[in-house]
Every structure is written in structure tokens, then in C-alpha cells.
Amino acid sequence: SQKIEQNSEALNIQEGKTATLTCNYTNYSPAYLQWYRQDPGRGPVFLLLIRENEKEKRKERLKVTFDTTLKQSLFHITASQPADSATYLCALRAFSSASKIIFGSGTRLSIRP
Amino acid sequence: DVKVTQSSRYLVKRTGEKVFLECVQDMDHENMFWYRQDPGLGLRLIYFSYDVKMKEKGDIPEGYSVSREKKERFSLILESASTNQTSMYLCASSPGTGETQYFGPGTRLLVL
């Protein structure tokens, strides 16, 4: 069956460290993968998109990698700050489904001072 | 900036009531979506629309219907609310199929 999984439900790290979140998928051929941030009581906000032929994308302190062999995307936040605390969702658009994006259930990231 | 607004932030309804959730976007996007979000289950697609008066079922359409009479407005209807429809409902829009989605703030619905 098709699945998109974010392995950690919650992640707690010390301020200043790099946070690494994982997104794995099975039985999909992804056209691209997106990462969103969601704060409590709010809708998700788009952060980054990486296409299936790209290995890495960066935006300020954020970095996303995409390994289609491992069927995995990693999302990194360097020099993490308490303000980065939120839930992060990965989302995948498959080649077979042009109109739909499938979301993972999210990882709740907490950065302690 | 894209703005997606939802008619209510919080809503309390009784079992059996008909419930309307409204969503409006101001960026002339073709596509609009309704999701529900529950702890541990993530975002699940209920319905989406790729054009006025066009709609397609998502993964969990049972118990819901939608209406898109104008491009900027997409309504979710619960014909007869049930307690298992208590959830956070999120509306989103996107300029093209499968592109980045822009979300509204969500409506937290409680069905008693």
C-alpha cells in the first residue's frame, strides 16, 4: 500500500543545534516533495519544494534533501531557535496523481533554550 | 500575498444539524481543497475542486458534500453532522494542479 511516514511524532533539541526531520514514502513515484510548517491552531505554511531530479534545496537556515533510492527526504534546520518550534509536515505529489498532494502526519519539533 | 479565509474559527453544532463551512481565496486560484486534520492521522483530503462547478472526491468524502458556484468560494457541507465529524477543517487553494497549497486558518468544529 502507499504510505508517507514521518518517523518521529515529536523531536526535542537544544537551541543552536541542527534539527533533522525525516520523511519516508513507499509505493509512490514522487514528482516532488514539499515541506510545510504548522503552528498550533493555524493552517500549514509552505516552506520548500524539492523535485525528484534534485538532490538538495536550501533556503536561509533550512535545507531539504531528497533521495529517491532510499525513498526519503530529510529536512534540516541549522542553528535552531525556540521560534522554530512547530509541527513540520512533508507532502508528496506523485506522477500518477497530478491533482493531489498527500501529507504526512507531521513531526512536532520543540527547541529548548 | 495569497489570502485564504474561513468563515469561522470555532463552531459548535448538535448531532443531525446541517453545517456549512465557507472558504474564500483572493488570488484567482483554479484549485481549492477541503481537508480534515485529526491527531495522529495528519491531513486527509475530503474533496477538491479544479474549476467552478467541478468537484472530485478525495480520500474521505463520506458524510460531506461541497459547492463551488464562484471561483473564489468553496463550501463544505455536512448534511447531518455526527460526533465523528468533530475535527479541525482546513481549506486550501493552489494556482495549478499539485502545486504549492495555501491554507486558511482552519475551523475547529465540535459536534455534540
Side-chain angles (χ1 to χ4, degrees), chain A residues 39-54:
Chain A
D39 292 288
R42 304 269 181 198
V45 175
F46 170 76
L47 296 174
L48 280 168
L49 180 153
I50 186 164
R51 300 189 185 279
E52 53 88 29
N53 59 353
E54 296 175 317

Side-chain angles (χ1 to χ4, degrees), chain A residues 33-35 46-50 57-59 62 64:
Chain A
L33 201 140
Q34 300 175 343
W35 285 87
F46 170 76
L47 296 174
L48 280 168
L49 180 153
I50 186 164
K57 260 296 181 55
R58 290 177 186 259
K59 180 182 174 183
L62 309 179
V64 172

